[in-house]
Amino acid sequence: MSLQSIYADLHIHIGRDYHNKPVKITGSKTLTLTNILKEASRKKGIQLIGVIDCHVPAVQNELDQLLATNKAEELEDGGIKFEEVTLILGSEIEVYDENCHGPIHVLCYLPNLHKMKKFTDWLSTRMTNINLSSQRYYGSGKDLQYKVKELEGLFIIAHVFTPFKSLYGKGVNQSLTEVFDPDLIDAIELGLSSDTEMADVIKELHAYTFLTNSDAHSLAKIAREYQKVQVAYPSFKELTWALHRVENRKIEVNYGMNPQLGKYHTTVCKQCLSNQIEGTICKTCGHDGVIKGVADRINELKDTNEQPINRVPYIHQIPLEYIKGLGPKTVDKLLETFGTEMNIIHHAAEAELTKITTKSITKQILQMREGKQTVKSGGGGKYGQVTWENN
């Protein structure tokens, strides 16, 4: 069977459900399931998406409606096809059992709606509010893994280094084995403040495929990080095979923002967000207390200089919205010509871009394509900033 390359973003939230009630409290009101599917298919050019609030009953009702009206169809190999995109049904869950030192977010994906509904039934007895996103699960990390595997699902660690609510941020002292069965983890999501080079200084991560996902809280943020995946066609089974490199299926490239653009890359003062820190004392304002950055946390965990086999390229890339001077009207003109954002970012020729936009914007798009940005580091919940090469 011939294989193809597709783009995938596997961590997208829902802001409002079928009845306009909040799911992800901080999510945009326009971030409904149907709007996500349309945005990914028609504008972003993403062929595989993971929506990680599909455990919510009202979201499942919306899926039932899409299926009943033939706007979507369930695939035999798992996933739900809508126009040009396949939906992978997921759930982000907060684990904080007796073995954790802090909350850990994980991503659980199931092959079809029937199994997701069974997962919802199980979760609803172990969760205070099944109607909201990223809720605390009352049970052990391993029991959650066992249930996901019983339902033939995928278990992935979310934004693994984020200072709050992540595995290495606060969840464990040193090793994922403190909370989870390492054999039942299917992949590791790096998050916005780290990349492959940073993560691979931790030996126990060498066994896993890395993912770069958007963690989108609005339609615009879909595919701010994503990956190119080699599969026969977009489906749950093919995704599973790609994560485990079965029969030439694989993640081909990770596309993610430079880690210094992440909100938690650098250690900063809790009070004034200065990065002038000595020990735990801010040299700027004198406050005693820091938000430890991802870079410093990874240095604490570092235990190898070896490189794993089969690690794929990580290309530093930014969303179109970061490009200076590129407004909505010009974006619309680019989309009219090239169809999707993925086509603009990856395939549009310089001469064709220049017909539509300025030479300055064209140069920025080409620099972005090659990862040529200079950045000022972010930290403490504040994103870093991009500057551009002048040559």
Side-chain angles (χ1 to χ4, degrees):
M1 181 180 292
S2 62
L3 302 180
Q4 60 177 309
S5 295
I6 65 169
Y7 297 112
D9 178 1
L10 299 171
H11 189 150
I12 301 169
H13 282 284
I14 289 177
R16 290 291 187 274
D17 68 16
Y18 198 45
H19 308 293
N20 200 33
K21 292 184 178 179
V23 176
K24 184 69 174 178
I25 300 296
T26 54
S28 166
K29 292 181 180 180
T30 62
L31 199 63
T32 66
L33 176 65
T34 300
N35 284 346
I36 290 167
L37 292 169
K38 289 178 179 178
E39 181 81 4
S41 177
R42 300 175 187 179
K43 182 177 177 181
K44 297 293 181 179
I46 298 287
Q47 292 87 18
L48 192 68
I49 61 167
V51 174
I52 48 77
D53 294 320
C54 289
H55 63 280
V56 174
V59 174
Q60 295 169 6
N61 291 342
E62 187 169 351
L63 277 170
D64 282 329
Q65 183 68 18
L66 288 171
L67 293 167
T69 55
N70 295 318
K71 294 179 179 177
E73 63 172 323
E74 287 208 272
L75 301 177
E76 184 177 346
D77 282 344
I80 295 176
K81 182 74 179 297
F82 176 93
E83 296 180 357
E84 301 303 317
V85 66
T86 295
L87 166 67
I88 304 297
L89 292 84
S91 175
E92 184 172 29
I93 295 170
E94 184 171 299
V95 176
Y96 198 171
D97 68 18
E98 60 185 9
N99 299 309
C100 297
H101 300 282
I104 301 171
H105 280 201
V106 299
L107 304 169
C108 306
Y109 301 93
L110 296 172
N112 55 51
L113 187 53
H114 172 70
K115 288 187 175 177
M116 180 56 79
K117 287 180 177 179
K118 292 183 72 171
F119 190 53
T120 294
D121 290 341
W122 183 81
L123 273 182
S124 62
T125 64
R126 296 164 175 82
M127 190 175 282
T128 301
N129 192 342
I130 197 69
N131 298 300
L132 293 177
S133 172
S134 313
Q135 294 298 288
R136 176 74 56 84
Y137 146 82
Y138 294 92
S140 75
K142 289 182 179 178
D143 282 346
L144 179 59
Q145 287 181 288
Y146 299 152
K147 188 62 182 182
V148 170
K149 292 304 171 183
E150 176 190 320
L151 294 171
E152 300 179 291
L154 294 169
F155 187 90
I156 293 170
I157 307 296
H159 42 74
V160 66
F161 297 113
T162 305
F164 310 105
K165 301 185 177 181
S166 80
L167 180 77
Y168 293 124
K170 284 192 176 180
V172 299
N173 283 330
Q174 193 72 30
S175 172
L176 56 83
T177 59
E178 295 168 33
V179 178
F180 298 115
D181 182 337
D183 293 329
L184 300 182
I185 295 172
D186 294 285
I188 300 290
E189 182 186 72
L190 294 176
L192 299 182
S193 294
S194 66
D195 61 13
T196 296
E197 183 178 358
M198 294 173 67
D200 271 337
V201 302
I202 301 170
K203 180 72 172 178
E204 68 179 359
L205 294 184
H206 288 190
Y208 303 108
T209 294
F210 288 162
L211 294 175
T212 39
N213 298 314
S214 68
D215 196 354
H217 287 48
S218 67
L219 292 173
K221 291 295 188 289
I222 294 173
R224 66 176 167 180
E225 293 200 343
Y226 55 98
Q227 41 268 308
K228 185 190 289 185
V229 190
Q230 182 170 283
V231 290
Y233 47 86
S235 73
F236 183 89
K237 178 183 174 182
E238 290 287 319
L239 172 63
T240 303
W241 282 17
L243 295 181
H244 295 282
R245 302 182 66 87
V246 175
E247 295 188 10
N248 295 321
R249 277 72 166 178
K250 62 183 178 180
I251 305 298
E252 291 184 276
V253 184
N254 292 110
Y255 295 99
M257 295 198 296
N258 187 310
Q260 294 177 63
L261 292 171
K263 292 193 294 184
Y264 300 107
H265 182 75
T266 304
T267 298
V268 298
C269 170
K270 283 184 178 179
Q271 188 76 19
C272 72
L273 300 185
S274 168
N275 62 2
Q276 302 301 306
I277 307 295
E278 187 172 316
T280 60
I281 305 298
C282 176
K283 294 164 73 174
T284 302
C285 74
H287 181 75
D288 183 2
V290 300
I291 299 172
K292 186 179 292 182
V294 167
D296 286 336
R297 176 58 173 148
I298 289 175
N299 282 334
E300 291 178 354
L301 295 165
K302 181 176 179 178
D303 61 1
T304 184
N305 289 313
E306 298 175 8
Q307 293 296 310
I309 60 172
N310 296 327
R311 190 63 79 212
V312 304
Y314 188 111
I315 296 178
H316 289 157
Q317 201 174 83
I318 59 168
L320 290 174
E321 65 182 274
Y322 277 67
I323 293 178
K324 187 177 180 180
L326 182 57
K329 290 183 179 179
T330 306
V331 171
D332 287 343
K333 289 180 181 177
L334 289 168
L335 289 170
E336 285 175 13
T337 302
F338 301 110
T340 67
E341 288 187 14
M342 291 298 106
N343 285 337
I344 297 167
I345 292 169
H346 292 285
H347 306 299
E350 180 176 1
E352 295 301 312
L353 287 167
T354 308
K355 289 179 182 178
I356 298 167
T357 188
T358 65
K359 289 184 178 180
S360 172
I361 290 174
T362 296
K363 179 187 279 190
Q364 290 179 69
I365 291 173
L366 297 177
Q367 287 179 359
M368 174 195 71
R369 190 177 292 177
E370 297 172 6
K372 291 182 178 179
Q373 311 102 39
T374 303
V375 303
K376 179 180 177 182
S377 296
K382 184 179 179 180
Y383 287 110
Q385 297 176 327
V386 178
T387 58
W388 296 95
E389 293 187 359
N390 293 319
N391 56 2

